Amino acid sequence: MYSWVLFLSTGLVFISTFLLTLAVYNFIFGTRIQIARRVNQIVGENSAALSARDLELSQPLYQRAIRPALQAIARLMTRFIPATREAEMEKKVVAAGTPGNLTAREWIVLKYLAATGLGLLFWTWSMVISTPLPQSIILTICGIPLGWLMPDLFLNSRIRQRKANVEKKLPDVLDLLTVSVEAGLGFEGAMMKVAEKTSGVLADEFILMLQECHMGKPRREALRDMADRVGVDDLSSFCGSVILADTLGISIGNVLRTQAQQMRLKRRQRTEELAMKAPIKMLFPMVLFIFPAIFIILLGPAVLQIIKAFHQ
């Protein structure tokens, strides 16, 4: 009975690790592989002769097996996932830039799989090293919440990176917008030009906002939705100023110039704030690690001399 349990646990851990490895590989290289495959399909000599089966087999394993499996599990778990939790996860996934093109429900499924896989991994590891049963149970109990939190930690890290990227590049992007508008382009044309000349989160969001406008959404709503997706105060202030300028008939060029100056001032203030926090952050490692070593080097010989004097 014990051998069967160990065999099953090892198999489940292997499958979970394999799926997580493929998912990470797709996050890192998925876009590059898709672009190369698309180019080969368009300009390749034998692309027209490929059958439907060949085209399907040419897709990566993530698209052919893992993603459909996640979608099937998500459909089965629909009735067990609270709507509020799914709505919260949807906001987090959108703020993170929809990594892997996974929906909120699929991310919740990943949380369950990660919690189960890490718990089984800790249990199997404790059995292999012959850990007593109470300690094995404790390790398994610790592994389950850790696996449950891993997708959240990844999404939170992506959100912080996106926000930092937006705060860093927004003043330069506003300068480009101002120059483009003053050169005679319209606001949407200037945004398209900036999106073509730059890269990053803001360029992607500008393209998405322009696509929504071309599909019939009013520019005010598209700007509000972009500000809600990114969740950066500076970008929300910029979108609000543009909406107000449209409402009151104010010149867009003047608004953009004022916003660029304010954003650049805010970026300088944030940099100065980080520079002022640096000495305080350096104080703790100095007190804990550097000062004790210095005290040992300076006071060590004196202490030894005092000890010898007392022993004499």
Side-chain angles (χ1 to χ4, degrees):
M1 182 63 180
Y2 174 78
S3 60
W4 279 102
V5 173
L6 181 59
F7 178 78
L8 181 61
S9 302
T10 305
L12 291 175
V13 170
F14 175 79
I15 293 173
S16 301
T17 306
F18 180 72
L19 293 177
L20 289 174
T21 303
L22 287 178
V24 172
Y25 177 81
N26 180 74
F27 290 156
I28 298 175
F29 302 104
T31 304
R32 188 180 304 173
I33 294 174
Q34 290 177 2
I35 293 174
R37 186 175 293 109
R38 182 61 177 168
V39 170
N40 291 332
Q41 290 177 359
I42 294 175
V43 302
E45 296 180 357
N46 300 324
S47 60
L50 293 176
S51 63
R53 178 176 175 80
D54 294 333
L55 289 175
E56 183 178 356
L57 292 177
S58 65
Q59 298 294 325
L61 181 62
Y62 173 80
Q63 296 292 340
R64 289 187 286 114
I66 300 177
R67 181 71 184 277
L70 287 176
Q71 292 175 349
I73 298 174
R75 285 193 296 267
L76 292 176
M77 295 180 61
T78 301
R79 65 184 63 182
F80 302 106
I81 299 176
T84 55
R85 178 178 297 178
E86 185 176 353
E88 293 175 358
M89 181 59 70
E90 181 68 27
K91 293 180 180 179
K92 185 177 292 187
V93 170
V94 171
T98 315
N101 293 325
L102 297 178
T103 63
R105 192 172 298 170
E106 291 169 352
W107 274 103
I108 295 176
V109 171
L110 275 179
K111 287 168 64 71
Y112 283 109
L113 291 177
T116 304
L118 200 60
L120 290 175
L121 178 63
F122 280 15
W123 174 265
T124 305
W125 178 67
S126 62
M127 291 294 102
V128 170
I129 63 176
S130 301
T131 305
L133 183 61
Q135 297 181 8
S136 301
I137 295 175
I138 293 174
L139 283 175
T140 304
I141 293 174
C142 293
I144 291 174
L146 181 60
W148 177 264
L149 293 175
M150 284 175 60
D152 289 329
L153 295 176
F154 173 77
L155 291 176
N156 291 333
S157 176
R158 286 291 300 268
I159 292 172
R160 288 194 297 269
Q161 292 176 2
R162 284 170 58 86
K163 289 185 176 181
N165 183 274
V166 171
E167 291 177 349
K168 180 180 179 181
K169 291 190 175 182
L170 185 57
D172 300 330
V173 168
L174 290 182
D175 287 336
L176 290 176
L177 275 176
T178 304
V179 172
S180 300
V181 169
E182 291 179 347
L185 291 176
F187 181 71
E188 294 183 1
M191 294 189 73
M192 178 59 69
K193 181 62 66 176
V194 170
E196 292 175 356
K197 298 299 182 181
T198 60
S199 61
V201 179
L202 277 175
D204 297 337
E205 291 295 333
F206 282 0
I207 292 174
L208 180 58
M209 191 271 289
L210 292 174
Q211 290 175 351
E212 292 177 349
C213 292
H214 292 162
M215 289 187 293
K217 179 181 288 189
R219 188 166 70 181
R220 299 177 184 179
E221 296 183 7
L223 286 170
R224 291 194 187 98
D225 292 342
M226 180 178 67
D228 293 338
R229 284 194 304 268
V230 179
V232 176
D233 293 337
D234 293 345
L235 185 61
S236 300
S237 176
F238 160 69
C239 294
S241 300
V242 173
I243 293 172
L244 183 62
D246 282 343
T247 304
L248 301 179
I250 304 173
S251 173
I252 294 292
N254 295 332
V255 173
L256 292 176
R257 189 182 302 105
T258 303
Q259 287 292 314
Q261 293 175 356
Q262 293 179 355
M263 300 305 169
R264 197 172 296 280
L265 179 61
K266 288 183 179 180
R267 187 172 65 177
R268 183 183 306 169
Q269 291 174 348
R270 281 193 295 265
T271 304
E272 293 176 353
E273 181 181 358
L274 292 175
M276 294 178 67
K277 289 181 179 179
I280 300 176
K281 293 181 179 179
M282 294 172 58
L283 180 63
F284 295 100
M286 290 180 61
V287 172
L288 294 176
F289 302 106
I290 298 177
F291 286 170
I294 294 176
F295 290 154
I296 291 173
I297 294 173
L298 296 178
L299 301 180
V303 172
L304 293 177
Q305 294 295 332
I306 294 173
I307 293 175
K308 289 181 181 180
F310 276 106
H311 281 290
Q312 291 176 358

